[in-house]
Amino acid sequence: MAGIEHIQVEPDEAGMRLDRWFKVHFPGLGFGQLQKLLRSGQVRVDGGRVKTDARVQPGQVVRVPPLDVDAKALKSGPIGGNDLKHAGDGELLARMLLHEDEKVFVLNKPAGLAVQGGSGLTRHIDKMLEAWTSKKGEKPRLVHRLDRDTSGVLVVARTRGAAQKLTAAFRERDTKKTYWSLVKGVPRKHEDKISTWLVKEATPDGDRMRIAKHGEEGADHAISYYRVLEMAAQSLAWLEMEPYTGRTHQLRVHALHIGHPIIGDPKYFDDDPNWDFPGGVQKRLHLHARHIDIPHPNGGRLRVTAPLPPHMVQTWNLLGLDMASAGEPDDE
């Protein structure tokens, strides 16, 4: 049984009822048990007594006493900032797990967690995978990557042989990766191909990609496809995006290139004084690796879909976007 915890409410939990907040964080705790803890003052918010229908706000601190429930059920639901700081590597990876077999793990990477190390990074998935080293001493291997601010499907090989086959599938473009994004404005063409050259340049805010001239030194060809799935009042568009090539920040730069940058993009979305950022939408990158279709190392195809991160669920609900309208393929 764990000791007393003090958990800070995350920005994407704004306005959530307290009983719902407990259901997300501690699904093994029954409603009756929660009511008893509230009546006796063992559960408090910012030090004060509250009722089950109280609405929590970002930054508030919930006091959680030791809970006599199944330890495996204690933590589930969306992975927030506190989890990324304090939860163990093995626990976090288990909560990200979407698919597992003898050759492959597929994770739902949360936004804000880096895939590989870099300057100033103390935690990243590549290092965390050491927690899942096999009895033979084999650590799972990354076979592709996602930007730190991008959430969604991340494929990890469990063996050296699986890594070779999966890496080859990405290199030979025998994979189909589908992303969901929310962009500023509505593209004139509701379905199109974007083909440009991209080059990396250093800026005071770190490396950034830009559109390059054909033949410019260091430039790579990049091709993306997109289609509009739904619009919100002609001011926002929900896009399904598919990168044919796999260049750094490709979808983010291509969205900017067609005049419709991705909402909340810290690198490529510039504030426009003539455009109001939608109220209630968090300024976090609205780009999610939704689905992957890739050859399985044992044969056949592996198809996996990742649920949206909390900040995008909040936006979709706010705008009334209907996820069922996307017409996605079924996973196998």
Side-chain angles (χ1 to χ4, degrees):
M1 193 185 298
I4 294 172
E5 289 187 85
H6 293 87
I7 304 175
Q8 190 169 25
V9 177
E10 298 287 340
D12 47 49
E13 296 170 338
M16 188 181 285
R17 276 178 54 123
L18 185 62
D19 52 358
R20 170 65 185 152
W21 185 91
F22 267 91
K23 190 70 177 171
V24 167
H25 288 267
F26 302 97
L29 183 69
F31 183 73
Q33 292 172 281
L34 175 60
Q35 285 186 310
K36 286 181 183 177
L37 294 170
L38 288 165
R39 280 198 299 267
S40 62
Q42 294 183 71
V43 167
R44 292 174 179 250
V45 175
D46 283 350
R49 289 177 177 252
V50 284
K51 296 183 178 180
T52 54
D53 61 354
R55 304 236 173 220
V56 296
Q57 298 302 330
Q60 288 186 321
V61 175
V62 182
R63 179 194 189 273
V64 182
L67 300 175
D68 187 17
V69 294
D70 181 3
K72 287 184 179 179
L74 280 177
K75 290 287 186 182
S76 73
I79 294 171
N82 285 320
D83 298 312
L84 294 181
K85 289 177 188 172
H86 305 301
D89 290 346
E91 177 198 333
L92 269 185
L93 290 170
R95 288 173 61 188
M96 293 179 212
L97 193 62
L98 295 171
H99 170 88
E100 175 185 8
D101 59 49
E102 73 277 7
K103 294 292 177 68
V104 181
F105 291 124
V106 182
L107 307 176
N108 184 13
K109 185 189 86 66
L113 177 61
V115 172
Q116 291 176 297
S119 59
L121 289 178
T122 56
R123 188 167 219 184
H124 53 85
I125 285 181
D126 193 29
K127 181 82 167 69
M128 292 168 65
L129 287 170
E130 292 176 3
W132 279 1
T133 299
S134 71
K135 292 178 181 177
K136 296 179 181 177
E138 196 165 28
K139 174 193 155 191
R141 294 168 166 82
L142 296 170
V143 293
H144 68 124
R145 59 188 296 278
L146 294 174
D147 296 342
R148 180 177 182 176
D149 294 317
T150 304
S151 57
V153 177
L154 185 71
V155 179
V156 177
R158 297 187 67 168
T159 66
R160 182 186 182 89
Q164 290 173 337
K165 290 181 180 179
L166 291 167
T167 301
F170 280 102
R171 185 175 60 245
E172 295 160 11
R173 298 180 186 142
D174 188 15
T175 64
K176 182 174 180 180
K177 291 183 289 180
T178 305
Y179 289 71
W180 280 3
S181 67
L182 186 72
V183 301
K184 173 186 172 184
V186 179
R188 187 173 54 84
K189 292 184 178 179
H190 280 206
E191 191 166 343
D192 204 6
K193 171 185 176 181
I194 308 167
S195 177
T196 70
W197 290 77
L198 300 181
V199 68
K200 184 183 290 186
E201 63 178 3
T203 74
D205 297 324
D207 287 343
R208 179 183 164 109
M209 304 300 290
R210 66 167 172 82
I211 303 298
K213 296 173 183 174
H214 188 169
E216 186 174 333
E217 186 178 353
D220 291 310
H221 193 205
I223 299 172
S224 305
Y225 298 88
Y226 76 85
R227 68 184 178 107
V228 176
L229 294 179
E230 206 170 331
M231 297 170 284
Q234 292 296 320
S235 62
L236 298 164
W238 165 19
L239 303 187
E240 179 182 84
M241 306 185 78
E242 183 185 332
Y244 178 70
T245 51
R247 312 303 180 199
T248 302
H249 298 173
Q250 176 177 320
L251 296 179
R252 298 162 66 178
V253 180
H254 274 172
L256 176 64
H257 175 63
I258 63 171
H260 301 283
I262 297 174
I263 296 296
D265 191 330
K267 277 188 182 285
Y268 302 101
F269 190 101
D270 294 325
D271 287 332
D272 180 351
N274 299 316
W275 191 81
D276 293 327
F277 197 90
V281 173
Q282 293 186 51
K283 289 193 176 183
R284 300 181 68 186
L285 181 66
H286 282 60
L287 179 63
H288 176 70
R290 175 66 173 174
H291 186 81
I292 195 161
D293 180 338
I294 187 170
H296 192 281
N298 286 349
R301 306 287 299 187
L302 175 64
R303 300 179 179 93
V304 182
T305 299
L308 287 177
H311 72 279
M312 289 180 69
V313 171
Q314 183 183 36
T315 299
W316 261 236
N317 289 340
L318 183 76
L319 299 175
L321 299 174
D322 180 13
M323 287 189 230
S325 69
E328 297 177 285
D330 293 330
D331 297 341
E332 290 184 1

